[in-house]
Amino acid sequence: MPPSMALRPSNFLLLRRETPKLSRIFLTRYYRSAVASSSAMQSQTPPSSSPQEIPDDLLLSSTGSLIRGLAVYSALSFPTFVDASPTLLKVTTGIPVVKQVALSVVRNTFFKHFVGGESFQQAIPLIESLRQRNLASMLEYSVEVDEESAKENSKQSGAINGNKVIPQYVKNIQEIMDSIPQASAVEDEFKLKHPSTRKTSIAIKLSALVPSATALKDFSTALLAKQSTPNDPFTTSLLYDSSISTYIEESHIAALKELHDSLTKIGELAAQYGVRIFVDAEHTWYQPAIDAFATDMMLSSNSFDQASPINPVVHLTFQAYLRSTPARLKSAIAHATSNKYALGVKLVRGAYHPQEIENHASNPANKGTLPPVWSEKNETDKCYNQCVELLLDELASVTQGKQPSIGLLFGTHNKESCNTVISGLVERHMATVETNEQGKEVVRVPPSVSAQVLVGQLLGMADELTNYVSSRLNSPNSPIVLKCIPYGRLEDVMPYLGRRAVENKSVLGNSNTSIERQRISQELRRRFFNRA
């Protein structure tokens, strides 16, 4: 809504017509409480009052979407609510009479806030609107396979094809295959030729691409048992060794070989269309298998001999809360160099800390040993920033007119880490500080560097940080800042929404939600009352 359209009575009536009744009541109650609670914060951070000072994400948002965002951030300010959200979603959607009401509320609040749409096509307007702000997009089909009841779920959610049921994991693989040319077509519409401008990418989660994640767990156990040097990269060669049957049952071996074939095709298709692929990290009991499949994808799709203008095409995710990550990164860099392929790295802090601690403590064999994850958050923060420095050192060593041999995505909602990336680019002479037309200092990043670096946040989270980083960096038509956009049918994405809320509770805690509530409240006051 343009700033001139302050919420007059006529516009309020329009908002009422556009918003379903139950959701409107829910949102209005949260709006009133959140605006009241944020009033005390006004003196601490004076709000912007002129349109030129209002961030684009607020200025370009409708009043309805701002009220929805305020309701969501208010709800997520309560840890008890966040912890209970998966159970609440499961219970309410399991009761026929309540289900439609629950789905309506979720659709018009959390779904619209955190999810790009029910299909890739529905997410395209969001991709285009983000690109207008020079922000990139990473799409992820967030329909998961429940590892505890995979067979039952595949029957319930599969589509009948003659007399054959198509399991959910097969549908997930097909969706990824279909999304790659769609992502390329979106980039073609922008009519920008330089490879650095092609910034619509795809994320994939391997546990959603097999009938049961137990296969990944068993393969990981075998890989660790056969590993000769700690932290060395894994490959899938063991999967084709006769000894593998000692560790994995035949049906799982077949499923893993099927996954290997599918991932090879995905990598080839991504290289053909010039679309980056990011392989998600998961629990440590799955990770060695994930590393093996992703490394195989990089060996072929990221080869220096491949013809794609984008390289690296495939990226593996490293989690900084793991004690082993610095050593694994160094080994991965050495492996890529010796095997002549470009290393793709997505660096995150990690989303499964409580489960990792619990899993380690529950195994008597681990008594007296350290868990795989750091015990304190400040240890993870320190490790993350050290890994940033390591990766930027590597990038700086190969950007002087050489063929790109590393590509980086720093996934972080932490401002200090974002500043570490920005200052690191300048300190290594990969970017320069200049003054823009408004008299503000910005960091200019040339296409040769912006083609290899991204900084990302999740859709619906840390929007203030996204604005901050994008305003600091000057890289026209080559977005460096990215939003991760999940998509999928509401009923299918419900487990994702509940799980993601719990996983990111530290991100959605009071400090971050307070910032977002304050920003939105200030803009709503400006629109409602034509004042800050």
Side-chain angles (χ1 to χ4, degrees):
M1 177 180 291
S4 59
M5 291 183 64
L7 200 61
R8 303 180 181 90
S10 60
N11 293 330
F12 184 70
L13 291 174
L14 176 61
L15 173 63
R16 286 176 60 86
R17 288 196 298 268
E18 291 178 343
T19 310
K21 182 177 180 181
L22 284 169
S23 299
R24 188 169 68 244
I25 294 171
F26 177 74
L27 294 172
T28 302
R29 287 177 179 171
Y30 269 119
Y31 168 73
R32 288 172 178 166
S33 62
V35 169
S37 65
S38 65
S39 296
M41 302 169 67
Q42 293 180 48
S43 59
Q44 300 175 14
T45 308
S48 301
S49 57
S50 66
Q52 290 77 15
E53 298 174 357
I54 301 170
D56 285 346
D57 69 307
L58 297 179
L59 191 63
L60 300 176
S61 295
S62 69
T63 300
S65 67
L66 290 177
I67 294 176
R68 180 181 67 241
L70 189 59
V72 169
Y73 284 124
S74 297
L76 294 176
S77 298
F78 300 97
T80 302
F81 173 81
V82 174
D83 288 337
S85 58
T87 302
L88 285 172
L89 289 173
K90 185 174 183 179
V91 170
T92 55
T93 55
I95 304 172
V97 178
V98 179
K99 179 178 180 179
Q100 294 308 314
V101 176
L103 290 177
S104 178
V105 171
V106 173
R107 180 184 297 279
N108 289 286
T109 52
F110 298 96
F111 183 85
K112 286 187 177 180
H113 190 77
F114 292 116
V115 181
E118 295 204 336
S119 66
F120 191 103
Q121 287 295 316
Q122 286 188 12
I124 289 177
L126 175 59
I127 298 171
E128 293 173 342
S129 67
L130 289 172
R131 188 60 65 89
Q132 290 176 2
R133 296 164 50 199
N134 203 34
L135 299 177
S137 300
M138 178 169 69
L139 280 292
E140 181 164 20
Y141 186 56
S142 298
V143 178
E144 304 176 354
V145 175
D146 184 348
E147 63 177 284
E148 295 180 357
S149 55
K151 293 181 180 179
E152 180 182 350
N153 279 357
S154 66
K155 291 179 181 179
Q156 292 177 350
S157 60
I160 301 297
N161 181 11
N163 294 322
K164 184 180 180 181
V165 174
I166 301 177
Q168 184 63 56
Y169 80 93
V170 175
K171 294 167 62 181
N172 293 349
I173 291 170
Q174 187 58 54
E175 176 62 32
I176 293 169
M177 299 287 286
D178 293 341
S179 68
I180 291 171
Q182 291 183 84
S184 179
V186 169
E187 289 297 329
D188 292 341
E189 288 296 317
F190 296 132
K191 296 180 170 55
L192 299 170
K193 301 300 183 183
H194 196 279
S196 67
T197 66
R198 300 186 68 84
K199 292 293 184 72
T200 302
S201 53
I202 304 295
I204 62 176
K205 183 176 181 179
L206 298 200
S207 64
L209 307 183
V210 287
S212 170
T214 302
L216 295 175
K217 185 176 182 179
D218 291 346
F219 189 29
S220 294
T221 300
L223 288 166
L224 289 170
K226 294 287 187 176
Q227 187 180 44
S228 56
T229 305
N231 302 313
D232 268 5
F234 298 104
T235 68
T236 60
S237 58
L238 179 61
L239 186 58
Y240 300 91
D241 189 281
S242 58
S243 64
I244 192 64
S245 58
T246 306
Y247 300 91
I248 310 176
E249 63 181 68
E250 288 300 324
S251 63
H252 286 169
I253 293 173
L256 292 169
K257 289 181 178 179
E258 180 185 359
L259 173 63
H260 192 200
D261 290 341
S262 297
L263 292 174
T264 299
K265 293 174 183 176
I266 288 171
E268 291 172 349
L269 195 64
Q272 175 187 340
Y273 280 95
V275 174
R276 293 173 177 84
I277 300 291
F278 293 88
V279 181
D280 283 351
E282 303 189 45
H283 299 93
T284 51
W285 45 93
Y286 302 144
Q287 199 57 48
I290 294 169
D291 289 355
F293 286 114
T295 299
D296 268 22
M297 292 177 74
M298 289 192 288
L299 278 164
S300 57
S301 299
N302 296 2
S303 168
F304 291 149
D305 297 330
Q306 62 101 345
S308 175
I310 304 295
N311 207 11
V313 174
V314 178
H315 300 67
L316 172 61
T317 302
F318 291 79
Q319 301 171 101
Y321 71 3
L322 294 178
R323 300 173 189 270
S324 61
T325 291
R328 288 177 54 238
L329 275 173
K330 292 176 183 177
S331 293
I333 291 170
H335 188 268
T337 300
S338 62
N339 288 278
K340 296 181 172 54
Y341 67 89
L343 178 65
V345 174
K346 174 185 172 186
L347 181 66
V348 300
R349 275 172 167 74
Y352 307 100
H353 193 276
Q355 298 97 313
E356 294 290 350
I357 293 292
E358 181 180 351
N359 181 71
H360 181 267
S362 66
N363 188 345
N366 293 329
K367 187 175 181 179
T369 65
L370 291 171
V373 295
W374 297 107
S375 300
E376 303 293 335
K377 184 180 181 300
N378 66 322
E379 294 175 312
T380 295
D381 292 341
K382 181 179 179 181
C383 182
Y384 188 98
N385 291 340
Q386 288 175 341
C387 291
V388 169
E389 302 285 0
L390 168 67
L391 293 168
L392 290 179
D393 283 342
E394 181 63 21
L395 180 63
S397 70
V398 297
T399 54
Q400 306 301 322
K402 299 180 182 179
Q403 186 176 21
S405 64
I406 192 168
L408 308 172
L409 166 57
F410 299 104
T412 178
H413 293 178
N414 183 287
K415 190 172 184 178
E416 180 185 350
S417 294
C418 291
N419 283 331
T420 299
V421 174
I422 295 170
S423 61
L425 291 172
V426 174
E427 291 166 2
R428 292 164 177 79
H429 308 291
M430 292 186 286
T432 56
V433 179
E434 60 184 23
T435 303
N436 64 14
E437 295 177 354
Q438 289 75 40
K440 296 181 179 180
E441 278 194 352
V442 296
V443 174
R444 185 178 66 82
V445 184
S448 60
V449 176
S450 65
Q452 307 304 119
V453 178
L454 288 163
V455 179
Q457 291 88 42
L458 293 167
L459 179 68
M461 298 186 191
D463 289 336
E464 185 201 34
L465 182 61
T466 300
N467 293 331
Y468 167 76
V469 178
S470 62
S471 67
R472 288 285 314 278
L473 298 172
N474 178 18
S475 56
N477 297 323
S478 178
I480 294 179
V481 185
L482 168 150
K483 280 294 192 181
C484 178
I485 304 173
Y487 73 95
R489 289 177 62 250
L490 172 60
E491 292 87 343
D492 295 333
V493 175
M494 292 279 269
Y496 165 86
L497 287 172
R499 179 182 61 80
R500 201 85 210 209
V502 174
E503 287 174 5
N504 292 280
K505 188 164 62 174
S506 60
V507 175
L508 298 170
N510 286 330
S511 61
N512 288 283
T513 55
S514 293
I515 291 171
E516 294 300 334
R517 288 202 315 273
Q518 183 184 13
R519 293 173 68 243
I520 297 173
S521 295
Q522 289 168 353
E523 175 61 9
L524 285 172
R525 281 193 297 273
R526 188 184 69 80
R527 295 188 186 189
F528 269 94
F529 310 113
N530 202 26
R531 64 180 177 83

